[in-house]
Amino acid sequence: MRLSGAVHIRPGCAAALGATVSAEGVNFALFSAHATRVELCLFSPNGQTEQARLTLPEAEGGIWSGFVPGLKPGAVYGYRVHGPYEPEAGHRFNPNKLLIDPYARQVVGPLVWDDALMGHEVGHPRGDLSFDTRDSAPFVPKAVVCAALPPAAPGPRRPWDETVIYEAHVKGMTARHPAVPRGLRGTYQGLASQPVIDHLVRLGITAIELLPVHAFLDDRFLVAQGLRNYWGYQPIGFFAPEPRYGLSAPILEIRQMVERFHAAGIEVILDVVFNHSGESDETGPTLAFRGIDNSSYYRLTEDGRHYINDTGTGNTLNLSHPMMLRLAMDSLRYWVEQIGIDGFRFDLAATLARGKRGGFSPRAAFLSTLRQDPVLARVKLIAEPWDVGPGGYRLGEFPPPFAEWNDRYRDGVRRFWRGDGSRAELARRIVGSAEIFDVSGRLATTSVNFLSAHDGFTLQDVVSFVKKHNLPNGEGNRDGHSENLSDNFGIEGPSDDPAITAARAARKRAMLATLLLSQGTPMLLAGDEIGHSQRGNNNAYAQDNDTTWLDWAAADPDLVAFVARLTALRRAHPVLRQRRFLHSGLRAEDGLRDLVWRLPSGEEPKGPDWHAPGICCLGAELRVAAAAPCWGAAAAFLVLNPGGPTIMRLPEGRWRMMLDSADPLAPEAEFAAAETPVAAQSVQLFIAAAPEPVQERP
């Protein structure tokens, strides 16, 4: 919107934070408990010229507000906030720095790295205690006034026991997809294009989990090396979609993307980063929270000058403060109600559950507020249950209805198939990690099981590399995990040796079968189903290039078909995806146990068998949980063999072989024999040929 004539401001309303459009104009409201004055700055449509500077005339309970009559959607704006510059008291106000509205629904213009972005003089002997007087406006993204969207239609609302998650990156999914129109590749529209949707539907995916799409910045040290922040874990706002994935109207495009996924029966989950912002520590830029009210938005050390760094990024947002908590809740509700999002994965969620003194609590304000919210309580909530702060590993400690990323599943399964794990560890993981999650009425679907994720090796690299190869990140290969529980089968990296490629393919199929036939909620990393490699880079956060962009031209169609078959089996047989935990309890309807472990001999393992050296075959006989109504289908028998070829004795009865990962194209076959040969590095699935009585699910 281009301003014409004089612009006036009058007292506004503090009830709704951000820029709220009405027929008469726009209301602006910004929280700052310690400011002495707040100025609204209006800019030209391209954000280059400041056209008006208006003081917000009203301050109520720390919320500054003003109403600008006649202003329309499309107006470009920012704030300058006055107050004490006293870093040792926690205050870093500097009105020379233009600030992004934390409630901005859209931002325009790139962040251009310049020393003027800093509230202090870079290189000054007093460091961050100095005060910089340069105007940062030419270098800062600006906020855009946006009209509210009509309420979004509800999504598919898939139950957890039907959920198969696919973790993906908006750009990486389509940047090299030959069937996506060139102009749409790497965008929200490209992600929701028909070729991508067809692929996900074929795979049996029910929810796509997107790496951060909130507006974020490229770190200065990356830009200096010609790199970019690919993953997006440096947010500068929690309402605005990242513009680099948009074409002309990011808000509408991301909502249309969600609608297209919903029409295909696929939910959309966002990875959100409320644990920190992109402003880094006291040496970082003043872009938003730091200049608006540093001591309210951030957790500070006792001296007030420095930032608590439980996130490893330089700062930690203060979810214990009611207004930061409100911002997070307002953001989440916005994405659900106006965009149609179906759930959230909370990055470093342990940080969000730390109280004023820094300790973790499952009753922390953020978790409790989220659970009672009538809008947010009905969507999927997933915690990454750790951070890098003291006592930060909290797997299994989040309250219902949270699900949790289960890294013990990843590690246990990788060890088992590599040959140095244990039967006991695998057994715990494939039945939902009950020893971790079966508390407080939590369900087996609480465990989000995964083999790989954006952070770490892809599945192809798990079977191709022993060492990390992160030199392209520019950190001397010091970044990323050094132990990946991986195996290269004798050659580091790609190999033309048929024996090695066959062994790697067998290992991948066995691991994917384990994942998709385990109790819990499975999550696939985008590209694992086509054999995508990141060339051994296990921390590709800065690789916005063909390292991370999926190589569709080299896709393995047989592996895609195998994954699709696995998800179809999971859908068809509810015994493979139960809500209740299996504890070898007796079922009232038939007196049979819901879980029986078997050795190749058919006998049940005894104490020493669980930890015997030289891991070999293990069988799991599964029925509907004793604690659940008998709504499930026939019993299942799962065979997992990380060792050499062997013979497995089947339980009594007639069994139909549904899958053999060693022969993925083999059709189903009914077995009357008491024994079955099991190939090395393979998984077999049998379903009882004569189904048990089925009761309708309540």
Side-chain angles (χ1 to χ4, degrees):
M1 174 185 177
R2 187 175 299 279
L3 300 178
S4 58
V7 182
H8 303 286
I9 192 167
R10 67 188 191 209
C13 174
L17 290 161
T20 305
V21 178
S22 68
E24 293 77 31
V26 179
N27 187 83
F28 294 89
L30 180 76
F31 168 75
S32 179
H34 300 96
T36 57
R37 182 157 62 103
V38 175
E39 293 177 308
L40 170 68
C41 303
L42 299 176
F43 285 81
S44 59
N46 63 7
Q48 298 301 306
T49 304
E50 187 174 335
Q51 297 180 324
R53 193 177 295 192
L54 309 168
T55 298
L56 297 184
E58 193 87 342
E60 178 185 347
I63 298 177
W64 300 76
S65 63
F67 186 86
V68 181
L71 203 63
K72 303 291 185 183
V76 179
Y77 72 101
Y79 289 110
R80 299 182 189 274
V81 181
H82 299 252
Y85 188 82
E86 300 172 355
E88 292 174 305
H91 302 309
R92 295 180 179 270
F93 295 100
N94 187 336
N96 301 296
K97 310 305 166 184
L98 188 76
L99 305 173
I100 304 166
D101 182 0
Y103 277 76
R105 265 53 170 180
Q106 182 178 336
V107 295
V108 294
L111 183 140
V112 179
W113 281 104
D114 189 274
D115 287 350
L117 294 172
M118 311 301 171
H120 62 282
E121 288 188 38
V122 176
H124 193 282
R126 299 190 70 226
D128 65 293
L129 298 178
S130 62
F131 186 81
D132 188 270
T133 59
R134 288 172 291 182
D135 185 7
S136 69
F139 312 105
V140 181
K142 315 300 188 297
V144 180
V145 173
C146 298
L149 298 173
R157 296 188 181 174
R158 298 269 197 171
W160 273 108
D161 59 336
E162 295 178 6
T163 297
V164 178
I165 299 173
Y166 187 86
E167 190 197 27
H169 187 281
V170 171
K171 183 176 183 180
M173 189 74 179
T174 62
R176 291 200 285 172
H177 201 305
V180 174
R182 189 172 297 276
L184 299 184
R185 294 176 191 172
T187 69
Y188 300 119
Q189 290 190 24
L191 183 66
S193 62
Q194 200 59 46
V196 175
I197 288 177
D198 289 345
H199 178 72
L200 297 179
V201 170
R202 182 191 178 195
L203 282 181
I205 300 302
T206 70
I208 186 168
E209 180 178 306
L210 300 180
L211 268 69
V213 298
H214 289 158
F216 62 87
L217 59 79
D218 295 310
D219 309 74
R220 191 172 196 176
F221 76 94
L222 292 178
V223 173
Q225 299 179 76
L227 299 172
R228 302 182 73 186
N229 177 1
Y230 175 68
W231 286 350
Y233 290 97
Q234 287 288 38
I236 55 174
F238 297 112
F239 293 81
E242 172 51 44
R244 72 185 72 184
Y245 307 137
L247 295 173
S248 59
I251 298 174
L252 296 179
E253 291 162 17
I254 200 169
R255 173 153 159 164
Q256 290 166 359
M257 176 195 77
V258 171
E259 290 170 348
R260 284 184 60 80
F261 279 124
H262 285 175
I266 298 171
E267 296 180 310
V268 181
I269 297 170
L270 296 187
D271 190 335
V272 291
V273 188
F274 289 116
N275 55 78
H276 75 279
S277 85
E279 291 184 304
S280 189
D281 60 16
E282 60 274 7
T283 66
T286 297
L287 304 174
F289 305 104
R290 175 174 288 132
I292 295 171
D293 193 351
N294 186 62
S295 65
S296 294
Y297 286 107
Y298 289 114
R299 289 178 56 213
L300 305 176
T301 57
E302 290 185 7
D303 63 10
R305 177 181 174 184
H306 300 100
Y307 295 80
I308 290 173
N309 187 20
D310 290 332
T311 64
T313 63
N315 65 58
T316 302
L317 288 167
N318 185 14
L319 270 298
S320 294
H321 192 287
M323 296 307 289
M324 183 61 223
L325 178 62
R326 174 178 170 180
L327 187 154
M329 296 299 153
D330 287 348
S331 167
L332 295 171
R333 281 191 294 268
Y334 168 77
W335 286 95
V336 172
E337 295 181 312
Q338 293 198 30
I339 307 299
I341 295 302
D342 305 284
F344 303 94
R345 179 264 190 188
F346 296 95
D347 179 65
L348 299 182
T351 297
L352 310 181
R354 291 183 182 272
K356 293 180 179 179
R357 297 183 179 180
F360 174 90
S361 172
R363 294 177 295 279
F366 177 79
L367 302 185
S368 297
T369 305
L370 195 59
R371 294 174 68 197
Q372 63 78 42
D373 188 283
V375 173
L376 302 176
R378 68 171 185 257
V379 303
K380 288 183 167 67
L381 305 174
I382 304 171
E384 181 185 37
W386 50 77
D387 64 18
V388 300
Y393 187 77
R394 296 290 176 171
L395 180 68
E397 298 183 40
F398 282 75
F402 276 91
E404 300 180 36
W405 271 27
N406 186 356
D407 62 327
R408 292 191 194 172
Y409 182 94
R410 175 199 63 199
D411 294 351
V413 171
R414 286 189 185 185
R415 283 195 181 97
F416 181 82
W417 288 108
R418 191 173 68 169
D420 60 343
S422 72
R423 285 192 181 116
E425 176 68 6
L426 181 77
R428 286 191 287 266
R429 301 304 151 235
I430 65 175
V431 292
S433 300
E435 87 286 2
I436 299 172
F437 296 111
D438 192 8
V439 293
S440 303
R442 303 182 82 181
L443 301 176
T445 50
T446 297
S447 177
V448 176
N449 302 328
F450 61 102
L451 302 170
S452 53
H454 69 275
D455 183 3
F457 276 167
T458 67
L459 182 59
Q460 181 65 41
D461 290 351
V462 169
V463 300
S464 303
F465 296 90
V466 170
K467 299 177 181 178
K468 63 184 179 181
H469 296 265
N470 296 356
L471 284 174
N473 298 347
E475 299 183 43
N477 210 38
R478 294 183 299 272
D479 60 309
H481 297 291
S482 294
E483 174 51 78
N484 296 280
L485 304 174
S486 57
D487 186 7
N488 65 13
F489 292 84
I491 294 179
E492 187 75 352
S495 173
D496 294 327
D497 185 322
I500 290 177
T501 57
R504 289 174 175 176
R507 175 78 58 86
K508 285 191 299 179
R509 291 195 302 270
M511 293 177 74
L512 287 166
T514 305
L515 173 68
L516 288 163
L517 301 179
S518 291
Q519 306 295 314
T521 301
M523 183 184 80
L524 282 166
L525 172 64
D528 278 355
E529 80 282 7
I530 65 173
H532 179 71
S533 169
Q534 292 181 169
R535 307 180 190 120
N537 193 322
N538 72 356
N539 190 34
Y541 73 102
Q543 300 303 312
D544 189 1
N545 50 50
D546 62 7
T547 299
T548 51
W549 303 344
L550 300 192
D551 187 0
W552 294 98
D556 180 349
D558 292 337
L559 191 59
V560 173
F562 182 68
V563 172
R565 185 174 179 185
L566 286 168
T567 58
L569 286 168
R570 187 177 179 89
R571 282 194 307 276
H573 301 287
V575 70
L576 301 173
R577 50 178 175 84
Q578 301 188 58
R579 294 180 296 171
R580 300 293 180 184
F581 288 99
L582 305 176
H583 289 296
S584 296
L586 293 176
R587 306 189 326 154
E589 58 274 11
D590 56 18
L592 298 174
R593 284 181 288 169
D594 58 20
L595 173 64
V596 183
W597 299 106
R598 302 286 186 187
L599 296 172
S601 64
E603 297 178 354
E604 295 186 44
K606 305 220 170 16
D609 297 321
W610 288 109
H611 303 282
I615 300 175
C616 57
C617 200
L618 179 66
E621 187 178 346
L622 312 171
R623 292 181 177 80
V624 173
C630 187
W631 55 265
F637 187 59
L638 186 61
V639 182
L640 306 103
N641 181 31
T646 190
I647 300 294
M648 168 63 76
R649 186 170 184 82
L650 297 175
E652 291 184 9
R654 296 181 64 85
W655 295 90
R656 177 176 292 275
M657 178 181 276
M658 309 302 292
L659 179 91
D660 184 351
S661 70
D663 188 7
L665 300 180
E668 299 175 10
E670 187 166 331
F671 269 59
E675 297 178 334
T676 178
V678 185
Q681 295 277 299
S682 70
V683 173
Q684 294 180 347
L685 172 68
F686 298 85
I687 296 294
E692 299 170 351
V694 176
Q695 177 179 319
E696 286 297 318
R697 180 175 176 173

